[in-house]
């Protein structure tokens, strides 16, 4: 028998307590057809009929009555755990967050103190690297990804758009000149970018957005390494605005060629309602909304 899911058991409990699928759906804030589908899936897993259809709604069968006793005990335990967490001052345990290297080290790391101060009982593990831990396999509680997953037992939504631009060090521009347009980048300029064979997401193929077929002369799998090479005067490269605009050593190049990408927040559907996951999701949405200018670009870096 396949393992039962807690959200299906909570749906069952709501139907048993309200006596109607429609009332349970209203209470839970979901569509009645969704509740009905989950109930049928639960009954199929158990090989039991849990409710009889009556004129008034749904009435528990004997199998349903037996299951209800177990589920009510589970709900009482969950309520006691939640009450204990509140009594001890809030959330506890480990929260795992997987995010791209640049966004993790240049945006989340810059603001994470706010989340940690709100939830001092949590241990936060931030995996900010090339490639993501897999929320489908529960390798992470939250993943902030460059594209929306097309399959798997996950729930996803757009977190934010962000802008990218070309940057160079003033010393490089003084030595090699300022390119007049995208075509000029292909002749007489050293470009810094990703290693094509090591791209972990097609969204990182930035140079094609500027000019089809444009390639980098110096390549790295790390956006932070690219950033340092650009700042050292080695060449011109694409950086997210939340990196480039915050480095006083860099100068924007051809700002009219700026383009956009998106971040998606992804959680496993069975753990998305965990308090620590809900708390982080609410915090990152709030932080992104408050710091939108950092992501889309600003006229000048903010004061330190």
């Amino acid at each position: 028998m396949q393992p039962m899911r807690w959200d299906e058991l909570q749906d069952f409990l709501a139907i048993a307590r309200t006596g109607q699928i429609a009332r349970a759906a209203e209470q839970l804030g979901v569509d009645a057809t969704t509740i009905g589908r989950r109930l049928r899936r639960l009954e199929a897993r158990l090989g039991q009929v849990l409710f009889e259809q009556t004129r008034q709604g749904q009435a528990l069968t004997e199998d349903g009555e037996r299951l209800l006793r177990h589920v009510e005990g589970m709900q009482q335990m969950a309520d006691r755990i939640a009450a204990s967490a509140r009594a001890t001052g809030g959330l506890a345990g480990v929260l795992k967050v997987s995010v791209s290297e640049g966004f993790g080290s240049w945006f989340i790391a810059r603001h994470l103190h706010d989340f940690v101060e709100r939830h001092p009982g949590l241990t936060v593990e931030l995996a900010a690297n090339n490639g993501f831990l897999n929320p489908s396999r529960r390798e992470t509680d939250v993943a902030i990804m460059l594209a929306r997953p097309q399959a798997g037992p996950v729930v996803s939504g757009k977190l934010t758009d962000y802008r990218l631009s070309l940057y160079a060090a003033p010393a490089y521009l003084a030595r090699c000149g300022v390119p007049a347009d995208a075509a000029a980048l292909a002749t007489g300029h050293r470009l810094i970018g990703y290693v094509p064979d090591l791209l972990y997401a097609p969204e990182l193929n930035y140079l094609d957005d500027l000019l089809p077929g444009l390639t980098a002369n110096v390549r790295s799998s790390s956006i932070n390494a690219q950033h340092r090479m650009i700042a050292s005067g080695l060449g011109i490269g694409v950086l997210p605005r939340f990196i480039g605009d915050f480095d006083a050593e860099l100068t924007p190049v051809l700002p009219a060629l700026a383009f956009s990408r998106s971040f998606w927040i992804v959680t496993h559907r069975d753990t998305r309602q965990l308090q620590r996951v809900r708390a982080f999701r609410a915090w990152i949405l709030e932080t992104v909304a408050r710091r939108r200018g950092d992501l889309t670009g600003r006229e000048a870096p903010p004061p330190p």
Side-chain angles (χ1 to χ4, degrees):
M1 184 177 67
Q2 294 180 340
M4 287 178 288
R5 289 168 39 189
W6 178 233
D7 60 345
E8 291 176 350
L9 294 175
Q10 288 181 306
D11 294 342
F12 163 78
L13 183 59
I15 298 169
R17 287 176 171 176
T18 61
Q20 290 185 358
I21 288 178
R23 289 179 182 173
E26 183 178 356
Q27 182 183 91
L28 295 170
V30 297
D31 188 82
T33 57
T34 300
I35 295 289
R37 183 173 63 253
R38 291 175 180 172
L39 173 60
R40 291 191 296 274
R41 188 164 55 201
L42 177 61
E43 289 179 325
R45 283 201 180 105
L46 295 173
Q48 298 173 345
V49 176
L50 302 176
F51 294 97
E52 292 179 353
Q53 181 68 47
T54 70
R55 290 184 178 182
Q56 289 74 36
Q58 278 65 45
L60 285 163
T61 63
E62 289 187 8
D63 288 332
E65 291 280 1
R66 282 193 293 271
L67 181 61
L68 179 62
R69 290 193 291 271
H70 292 299
V71 176
E72 285 184 326
M74 294 168 66
Q75 185 63 59
Q76 289 169 7
M77 179 61 72
D79 292 342
R80 285 197 292 271
I81 292 171
S84 175
R86 290 192 294 270
T88 55
L91 302 180
V94 178
L95 175 74
K96 298 180 179 180
V97 180
S98 175
V99 64
S100 63
E101 180 191 21
F103 192 61
S105 57
W106 279 87
F107 187 87
I108 291 183
R110 195 160 66 229
H111 302 293
L112 191 60
H113 64 89
D114 177 52
F115 179 78
V116 172
E117 288 168 2
R118 295 186 195 186
H119 306 288
L122 271 179
T123 297
V124 180
E125 294 182 352
L126 181 64
N129 50 32
N130 294 337
F132 297 90
L133 299 178
N134 193 329
S136 295
R137 296 196 294 265
R138 300 193 187 183
E139 295 172 344
T140 184
D141 294 311
V142 180
I144 298 175
M145 307 184 76
L146 297 172
R148 188 173 197 166
Q150 299 302 307
V154 297
V155 178
S156 59
K158 182 182 283 190
L159 174 62
T160 183
D161 294 324
Y162 65 100
R163 301 281 285 170
L164 303 103
S165 294
L166 285 162
Y167 292 89
Y172 173 86
L173 296 175
R175 187 172 71 251
C176 300
V178 178
D181 52 29
L185 294 171
T187 58
H189 284 282
R190 184 181 296 116
L191 297 181
I192 296 170
Y194 280 100
V195 181
D197 291 343
L198 297 181
L199 284 177
Y200 61 91
E203 290 78 15
L204 297 178
N205 190 13
Y206 300 145
L207 295 181
D208 254 1
D209 276 39
L210 301 174
L211 186 69
L214 196 61
T215 59
N217 313 102
V218 181
R219 304 166 181 175
S220 173
S221 61
S222 165
I223 190 65
N224 286 336
Q226 292 176 42
H227 165 233
R228 293 318 310 158
M229 289 189 287
I230 296 167
S232 75
L234 183 58
I236 299 174
V238 174
L239 293 172
R241 300 292 297 267
F242 58 78
I243 296 178
D245 284 2
F246 282 79
D247 188 339
E249 298 177 1
L250 296 179
T251 297
V253 176
L254 301 176
L257 297 182
F259 56 96
S260 295
R261 291 287 192 269
S262 300
F263 286 124
W264 298 81
I265 185 166
V266 185
T267 57
H268 194 284
R269 68 187 181 194
D270 288 348
T271 58
R272 70 187 188 279
Q273 295 300 332
L274 292 176
Q275 287 185 312
R276 66 178 183 270
V277 175
R278 294 171 62 185
F280 183 83
R281 187 178 186 279
W283 173 80
I284 191 62
L285 287 169
E286 171 194 327
T287 303
V288 161
R290 190 174 66 248
R291 308 295 303 194
R292 189 79 63 189
D294 297 356
L295 298 162
T296 57
R298 55 174 69 248
E299 292 303 316

